[in-house]
Amino acid sequence: MSKPSPHAAFVAEKAAIDPTNFALANCIRALAIDAVQAANSGHPGAPMGMADAATVLFRNHLKFDATNPDWPNRDRLVLSNGHASMLLYALLHLSGYEDMTREQIKNFRQLGAKTAGHPEFGHAQGIETTTGPLGQGIANAVGMAIAEKALAADFGGDIVNHRTYVFLGDGCLQEGLGQEAISLAGHLGLGKLIALYDDNEITIDGPTSVSFSEDVPARLAACGWHVQAVDGHDADAIDAALAAARNEGSKPSLIAIKTVIGFGAPTKSGTASSHGSPLGEDEAAKAKAILGWSADPFEIPAELALEWHQIGAKGTSDRQAWEGRFDALPSTQRDEFARRLAGDLPEGYDAAVQRARQTLFDAPQKVATRKASQLALDALAPCLPELIGGSADLTGSNLTRVDAVDTQFTAQKPGRYIGYGVREFAMAAAMNGMCTHGGLIPYGGTFLVFSDYARNAIRLSALMEVGAIYVMTHDSIGLGEDGPTHQPVEHLASLRAIPNLNVFRPADAMETLECWDIAIRSRKTPSLLALSRQGVPQLRTERGDKNLSAKGGYVIKSFGASRDITLLATGTEVSLAVEAAQDLNEQGLGVAVVSMPTWELFDAQDFAYRAEVLGSAPRIAIEAAGKFGWTRYVDTEDDVIGMTGFGASGPADALYQHFGITKDAIIARVKTLTNT
Amino acid sequence: MSKPSPHAAFVAEKAAIDPTNFALANCIRALAIDAVQAANSGHPGAPMGMADAATVLFRNHLKFDATNPDWPNRDRLVLSNGHASMLLYALLHLSGYEDMTREQIKNFRQLGAKTAGHPEFGHAQGIETTTGPLGQGIANAVGMAIAEKALAADFGGDIVNHRTYVFLGDGCLQEGLGQEAISLAGHLGLGKLIALYDDNEITIDGPTSVSFSEDVPARLAACGWHVQAVDGHDADAIDAALAAARNEGSKPSLIAIKTVIGFGAPTKSGTASSHGSPLGEDEAAKAKAILGWSADPFEIPAELALEWHQIGAKGTSDRQAWEGRFDALPSTQRDEFARRLAGDLPEGYDAAVQRARQTLFDAPQKVATRKASQLALDALAPCLPELIGGSADLTGSNLTRVDAVDTQFTAQKPGRYIGYGVREFAMAAAMNGMCTHGGLIPYGGTFLVFSDYARNAIRLSALMEVGAIYVMTHDSIGLGEDGPTHQPVEHLASLRAIPNLNVFRPADAMETLECWDIAIRSRKTPSLLALSRQGVPQLRTERGDKNLSAKGGYVIKSFGASRDITLLATGTEVSLAVEAAQDLNEQGLGVAVVSMPTWELFDAQDFAYRAEVLGSAPRIAIEAAGKFGWTRYVDTEDDVIGMTGFGASGPADALYQHFGITKDAIIARVKTLTNT
């Protein structure tokens, strides 16, 4: 008989602290081992290391009801280290979430399963957000905690009063996004946000000492967090730390949980080799032996299964009490709460849109589309209490602040406008968290060029199918003197390439209003508005109550009975196209100008509509941006009046001349194409 | 006579501390006021606030010689808060950099001037990097400090021994990128990096308290920095702090300089209104009066001008001494140093490439292109001492580590491999800093999907025209189980949209070698290699010493005498296209398969070459990615066998089937197009 490994002795010592918690946690570890082994792919180490802490959280702290997963006042739980997905799936399965069946666990990482490699929002109940790209979960959680505070202010603490817990690892803390989220949470005093940091001293490349030597608790304390550190395999210590964190009302809490990655695995525990690969059959068997686990793969012994189900149901009374309080509300408040959570628009909204249209028809506006955006917001926000705005420190440039949201969200008092600071990425990811939380429609501003900084969170808005609204101004060389670092050139194309993202570039004040209207209605597709710094005339002056932008592209002006040429344009270049069209028409050509505020919606129209709008005449596209992608609508990039490289610093007019985005250039190309 | 303003009294008090420094600093302030006023655009506040500290730095600490701006051993100075560009331009002008003339200052922010809105690398001497997008400058500076350490190890401290100074503001510290850079610098113990933080408590949206309430010095101390805080208008205190920072050898230093933004302006100082707009004539005049400045606009009084020129020339003796030491080196070392700084390749390089080609022809490799990349690196790195590698914590996945660079860069000892940690953005921006520093060719790895995180630094590589090399693996749904968060879909298109970036997606081991060769030779255009997780056969087995990938696209295989159809493909889909072509040929069709490892180089070929490769037969494109952009080469996106939305979690083969990227789909589309 061989001697027990040193690790076995270590495990035995930890097991003795709270044998019940240890046994419950072993259910998680066994499922993680089995699922990763069956898939022959995945990350067993973190679920095994964090199982003890997660068990304590579920047993004694997390407010939830597995039989009613969507209970609005449940605590939110985010797995920011999304690769540890089996931790979450095991917890949901064990505690009795109906759709997280054993079959799903067995099909971990298989096509069509709810148990994707990383947790995917919408795949199963209890998955509060999509994680995997590191740092985003903690930033989502910040958004959820903001949402909780905002909704509590609107509906009272009897109805909205929950915590947001987030698991995170070293990677989330190394990513800059993590720091942005941490700094923002500290600044906003999000006392109901509690982070459990899996301090396992291992990253993919080996021990964290290879790349990470910070004093994490000191960093977070400097950012206004309440910090604690505990043994991650000591259930009592974890329990006490969670209690202290819950007791802290004004600061977000970090609990650094010292864990051993792959806890239980005799040779791979405590090393990077347990991070991202199956343990292997031999190591898996030995790990189970060390953990004292003898059940068959994917089997949970009956009494442990029962105990876990009881954990899953222990929130039922809380939930029922909440329902009692909710039912006692005046019906208007109940209806409003239900409306907000369902994402339905209020009754007066359509009328507000129509009034705003009339106002623009009555007094056409020659303004920058960023200013038009502010006008639209000013008109629509008063009837949308769910709107919560903000900017990444560019409020005066983005023009994102209007009277209806003119209450600053501070640590002392929630409000409807968030100073995100120079933190574009955290802004976007926090908006995603607000969306998945429910009850709010977030919008946030920055310069279009800095969509780069937020890009992966914009991608996740699209992937998660949530309706965040990005207000991105200074959308071309038209911003002028700030120069090429600030001038988006490739950004429209690169954003159009993202699936399920509506990229809007409205041509005038009316289209800007229309695009805002579409964005507000669009709760499953995020919207990005690209808006100008420079003024444009209002082209749309013919009265009508139809949102023409909703088809994505349409003939905005026609000159002449025939159509000899079609000019496609977006944003500020639509009025330039109209000027060129007038000149061309005077020279005898029939010209249609097509405004294409959003390609995505245009491409969703039927063939007949698209064919009619695009016409059969030669086509030219005009956009003060890179030409990439326009060959979807024109023959070659020679037919695009646009940019071929980066911009430059100078006054806007000089830049348009310099880069040849001019009426003359349009006319010259038309003459080549039409042989006139 | 009106009473002096309270601000005037404050200025007078500060002026008395060191009247000479104050007078010299006023030259900067006056030029910043005048230039912003003349441009009617720009940021006067930060230059006015930081002028005193910058003057101390130039007078007493910065090692430079304005008459020899490119002296390799000069200290580097980075303006991370790039909007304060007039600070840098004024310093360069005053200290006598030849190309920073008064005319340039007068033409601030005008088209064609060297004095762009934000500092642009390459526009003028003394601009060490392009800044403006916040956080990048500090990360560039980290790269420069890494480069200094690496080169000092190679050439000795007599030849390479300089500091890197960086000015930064609140924005750089709020951006997550800033924290990534700070954390990395602390970890690597970059003792010669000294940051001067303009702690002015103002951001665009108002006081920093709107969004920022950290204890910045405590945060940086937690990250291993040496921190100090001083009055930013007390020259003596600044001088002492700089001396202490220089004296600290093992930790990077932060000096928090408490400044008043817009120092001198009677009503706008200390407020956001002096940040990003001209002061206005009246305020400007009053500011000059308070500062005691009576010279005409853009004029510098002769004695101050002389004193500044002396500051600019004080490094001459240092520089000459260095030249003496350099000349005393053995000629092989001198030549090698010159070669490294010039970015020329070593003599044995071509032969190493040819040997690597022969090896692949001798024993064709059926491997993932990430593995092929490692093989290429293994073959080329030994003769390239300038190569410095790394990965954002994915070394084992990116396969970026090979024997020749297998020395870890640590705080104790520089090496040729950097553990960047989970910090993609800082990795990219640090590589940019290494490039502008000179002497190194940096490459760094992550997953292609996380190019999103680094995107704006990749953009700056392209804008600055530096040859950073991005090694991005797991380039499609072919990565399998990690799922849609990890599967790049829109990334190839979005990267192809960036001007001056070569995006490579090689088809096999030979193309991977060829793309690496192009990347290494490409010192003015950054390269991004998109590499597969899954294996592919080596298609290129016909011996030849020509780099076929250098033309961007070429006919890799032809089947049949005629050409009835052309299949365009990249990366792992080229072998799929070849399989389909074989089947189609058996069915009687002539098929050419075109591999397009890099669109950018293909589009740079002449018309005749492109026409020959693309042919006149119908064309289909195959790429396991979004279809966006392919209409540059095919008629419609219906002719693209690719993705239309996000990926999914599952084994790679199942995903290719599920998303219809199959031989059958290619054949079906060919039959439609050719009516066969």
Side-chain angles (χ1 to χ4, degrees), chain A residues 485-508:
Chain A
T485 54
H486 284 54
Q487 289 162 358
V489 163
E490 72 278 22
H491 297 76
L492 291 171
S494 76
L495 292 161
R496 286 170 181 150
I498 298 179
N500 192 43
L501 171 67
N502 285 337
V503 180
F504 297 96
R505 190 164 187 252
D508 70 356

Side-chain angles (χ1 to χ4, degrees), chain A residues 368-628:
Chain A
T369 54
R370 62 174 172 154
K371 178 67 189 172
S373 164
Q374 193 179 39
L375 294 173
L377 263 175
D378 219 3
L380 305 182
C383 72
L384 291 168
E386 55 266 54
L387 220 50
I388 184 161
S391 166
D393 196 42
L394 287 169
T395 295
S397 297
N398 302 144
L399 300 179
T400 34
R401 194 152 181 156
V402 294
D403 284 350
V405 299
D406 193 17
T407 47
Q408 188 82 18
F409 196 112
T410 66
Q412 289 70 43
K413 198 169 157 42
R416 289 182 60 194
Y417 196 84
I418 299 172
Y420 287 104
V422 191
R423 305 183 187 98
E424 300 83 5
F425 204 171
M427 174 175 75
M431 292 204 294
N432 285 339
M434 294 178 214
C435 287
T436 67
H437 182 281
L440 295 175
I441 300 180
Y443 70 89
T446 186
F447 288 157
L448 180 57
V449 81
F450 299 130
S451 63
D452 281 356
Y453 278 60
R455 188 172 170 87
N456 200 260
I458 299 171
R459 178 179 212 259
L460 282 184
S461 306
L463 178 60
M464 288 201 277
E465 301 182 357
V466 298
I469 301 175
Y470 298 95
V471 182
M472 301 220 158
T473 68
H474 296 60
D475 70 347
S476 76
I477 52 167
L479 65 86
E481 291 86 349
D482 274 345
T485 54
H486 284 54
Q487 289 162 358
V489 163
E490 72 278 22
H491 297 76
L492 291 171
S494 76
L495 292 161
R496 286 170 181 150
I498 298 179
N500 192 43
L501 171 67
N502 285 337
V503 180
F504 297 96
R505 190 164 187 252
D508 70 356
M510 182 57 72
E511 278 194 8
T512 305
L513 171 64
E514 291 181 341
C515 292
W516 257 110
D517 180 30
I518 301 165
I520 285 168
R521 293 176 194 277
S522 178
R523 298 292 90 227
K524 294 280 182 193
T525 296
S527 299
L528 186 145
L529 293 107
L531 303 167
S532 74
R533 176 176 186 239
Q534 75 271 36
V536 282
Q538 185 173 323
L539 299 169
R540 289 273 305 286
T541 50
E542 280 177 50
R543 286 177 189 274
D545 56 10
K546 217 168 123 195
N547 185 326
L548 300 184
S549 303
K551 291 202 164 173
Y554 63 99
V555 176
I556 190 167
K557 298 275 177 196
S558 275
F559 300 89
S562 67
R563 199 201 284 203
D564 301 309
I565 189 88
T566 298
L567 304 181
L568 312 175
T570 77
T572 40
E573 284 67 69
V574 177
S575 51
L576 183 68
V578 169
E579 283 177 44
Q582 283 166 329
D583 276 24
L584 288 164
N585 187 238
E586 281 165 21
Q587 295 170 43
L589 285 176
V591 189
V593 178
V594 172
S595 179
M596 299 193 70
T598 166
W599 292 17
E600 295 77 13
L601 295 178
F602 182 71
D603 293 335
Q605 306 305 314
D606 62 29
F607 179 82
Y609 178 80
R610 284 180 287 139
E612 187 197 326
V613 170
L614 294 174
S616 54
R619 288 191 288 271
I620 286 177
I622 308 111
E623 190 171 66
K627 301 177 175 190
F628 192 83

Side-chain angles (χ1 to χ4, degrees), chain A residues 109 118 134 175-176 180 183 187 205 209-210 213-214 393 395 424 452-453 456 459 482 487 490 631, chain B residues 109 118 134 175-176 180 183 187 205 209-211 214 393 395 424 452-453 456 459 482 487 490 631:
Chain A
R109 292 187 154 233
H118 294 81
L134 294 174
E175 288 289 3
E180 291 183 13
S183 178
H187 175 73
D205 277 1
S209 59
V210 167
S213 47
E214 288 175 27
D393 196 42
T395 295
E424 300 83 5
D452 281 356
Y453 278 60
N456 200 260
R459 178 179 212 259
D482 274 345
Q487 289 162 358
E490 72 278 22
T631 48
Chain B
R109 291 185 155 235
H118 294 81
L134 295 174
E175 288 290 3
E180 290 182 13
S183 178
H187 176 72
D205 277 2
S209 60
V210 167
S211 57
E214 286 174 27
D393 196 43
T395 295
E424 299 83 5
D452 281 356
Y453 279 59
N456 200 259
R459 179 179 211 257
D482 274 344
Q487 289 162 358
E490 72 277 22
T631 49

